[in-house]
Amino acid sequence: MHQSNVDDETIDAFLGQNLDDNIDYHSVDEIKTLKTIYLESVDGLTVRRKPKITETITSKEYELLIKKLDKKDKELNEIKEHLKYLKQLINSTNVK
């Protein structure tokens, strides 16, 4: 509605918010005024989804991400090996 040059006070009246106490929004004249303003601006009203934000990853950024991923994979494998070792220790202790 702002693009149709409708002022904030009128938009608030359409929404039923922050109404001016000096205006009788229930009067026939005020209702006709609001209706006229609305009908003049209705063609400009649309409901749109926000555009998706996309990024292009450069080859340098891609390589950096791959290196980080490889490092994390290596750390994960080390943790798995430690866990396997600990399980073996626990099992060998329980057998005795």
Side-chain angles (χ1 to χ4, degrees), residues 40-95:
E40 288 172 354
S41 62
V42 74
D43 288 336
L45 298 179
T46 59
V47 177
R48 296 185 201 151
R49 294 182 189 269
K50 290 185 178 182
K52 292 182 181 179
I53 298 172
T54 57
E55 257 182 65
T56 303
I57 300 176
T58 63
S59 59
K60 183 179 179 181
E61 291 168 328
Y62 180 77
E63 291 298 323
L64 181 61
L65 288 173
I66 294 298
K67 285 180 183 179
K68 286 182 179 181
L69 182 59
D70 288 342
K71 183 179 177 184
K72 295 295 179 187
D73 283 343
K74 184 178 177 183
E75 290 173 1
L76 178 60
N77 286 331
E78 289 175 3
I79 291 169
K80 285 180 178 180
E81 287 299 317
H82 288 297
L83 183 59
K84 183 179 176 182
Y85 174 73
L86 290 173
K87 284 180 180 180
Q88 288 173 349
L89 279 177
I90 291 170
N91 288 336
S92 66
T93 307
N94 289 335
V95 172

Side-chain angles (χ1 to χ4, degrees), residues 30-42:
E30 190 60 32
I31 291 171
K32 285 181 181 179
T33 301
L34 290 173
K35 180 180 177 181
T36 301
I37 293 170
Y38 181 81
L39 291 175
E40 288 172 354
S41 62
V42 74

